[in-house]
Amino acid sequence: MATEGGKRTAKRAMVGRLSWGLADQAASSMTNFAVGLYVARSLGLAAFGVFSLAWLTYGVVLNVSRGLATDPLVVRFSGVPTASWRSAAARSSGAALGIGTTLGAVCLLVGLSLGGRVGPAFVCLGVVMPALLLQDAWRFAFFAAGAGQKAFANDLVWGVALVPAMVVAARVGSVAAFVLAWGASATVAAVYGCLQSGIRPRVTGARGWLREQRDLGYRYLVENVSLSGASQLRAYGLGAIVGVGAVGAVRGAELLLGPFLALLMGLSLVTVAEAARVLRQAPHQLNRFCLHLGGGQAVAALLWGAALLLMPDRVGEFVLGGVWSSASELIVPATLGVAGAGLGSGAAAGLRALAAARRSLRSQLFASACYVIGGLGGAAVAGTVGSAWGVAAATSISSAVWWLQLRSALRERHHNPIPEVRTP
């Protein structure tokens, strides 16, 4: 009976982690989704393309911060005594703040040198970057402490602060104003995170943190940045080949898939952990678990895309404004691309659970290269639509590689039961 009770307790704990992960990711992603829609409706296609370039740059910097500062915190300081967590969280958040300040200064200098319509957006992004990264650092710190409800509350505060900020930005009517409004509301949430945790970020401890966590941090940095960097290269290349309006059209199609992607990102907070549990308890079931995980995500993406295709034009125009006409042409390839990525994510969870670090990193780098080649090659041949189809083909090929690597890793484990050591 004690065993059955323990199983029920463990299952409730897993459901709790999943629920707060989904809730927090929903709050975070829906906030980003609302910002994108509001900017698209307020500024039109070309200006929305400029905003999208700033947004994608933030995504790259965010993944740098996560790889070096917050991912090691989650791996090594989840479920530890409170004193250890507080010390680590102070240094980790300080590292995130330091990274934001350094790379924010780079964005500011790049913006000043660019000028034109793009320059002011990057100047403002550089100003607000430290606050954006600090807010994200608190989210991961709270999950490491098992306090997902605090991460959820922090994202709610950001969403509430965003409402008046967006109204003011709309009155100004510029991309720079919207970037500042987005960052100012994140600043409110970042300060609130300090109050929630009772911790002050230790920027002076950032260097020590990076040095201590370098065995994990550098590998996570490469993994995290490769895909977001590929997205950035595709966006810049698409803007150069087709025009900045094409970047806005692609971003608009991504926004249409936003609610579905929010659900998948919430699930990703627990899928690797659950795959690891399957490996420990029933290793022969790991391949089936990963197949169900990836296949379920792919089918769900296809169903969401089918629903978008049935959506009347008047509803799409209400949601995206002038961006709808261009974004609607990309629904089919964008959906297929997300479905391919979802299928591959099942294999990726299995590789992480197996600690097959070399295979995981190899697959991620291959996927990133395919993404850039497909996106830009398609753009050169057939413009924006060609780029979308190129990415769809690239994700399908990459998904196959992920599964081949998982199959090889499982075969190696069968012949050699000693698990692969995760490479630093």
Side-chain angles (χ1 to χ4, degrees), residues 45-73:
L45 186 62
F48 184 58
V50 174
F51 183 83
S52 297
L53 289 177
W55 186 285
L56 288 169
T57 302
Y58 157 71
V60 175
V61 176
L62 180 65
N63 278 310
V64 171
S65 177
R66 286 179 176 178
L68 295 176
T70 54
D71 282 347
L73 173 73

Side-chain angles (χ1 to χ4, degrees), residues 360-371:
S360 178
L361 181 57
R362 191 182 306 153
S363 300
Q364 184 62 72
L365 293 175
F366 179 83
S368 300
C370 284
Y371 184 90

Side-chain angles (χ1 to χ4, degrees), residues 321-366:
V323 178
W324 165 254
S325 60
S326 299
S328 61
E329 299 177 356
L330 309 180
I331 290 176
V332 173
T335 299
L336 293 176
V338 172
L343 182 61
S345 69
L351 286 172
R352 285 291 184 95
L354 288 165
R358 290 189 296 273
R359 293 188 180 277
S360 178
L361 181 57
R362 191 182 306 153
S363 300
Q364 184 62 72
L365 293 175
F366 179 83

Side-chain angles (χ1 to χ4, degrees), residues 274-286:
E274 295 308 312
R277 289 187 179 94
V278 171
L279 180 64
R280 287 195 301 269
Q281 298 169 6
H284 61 285
Q285 295 289 337
L286 180 63

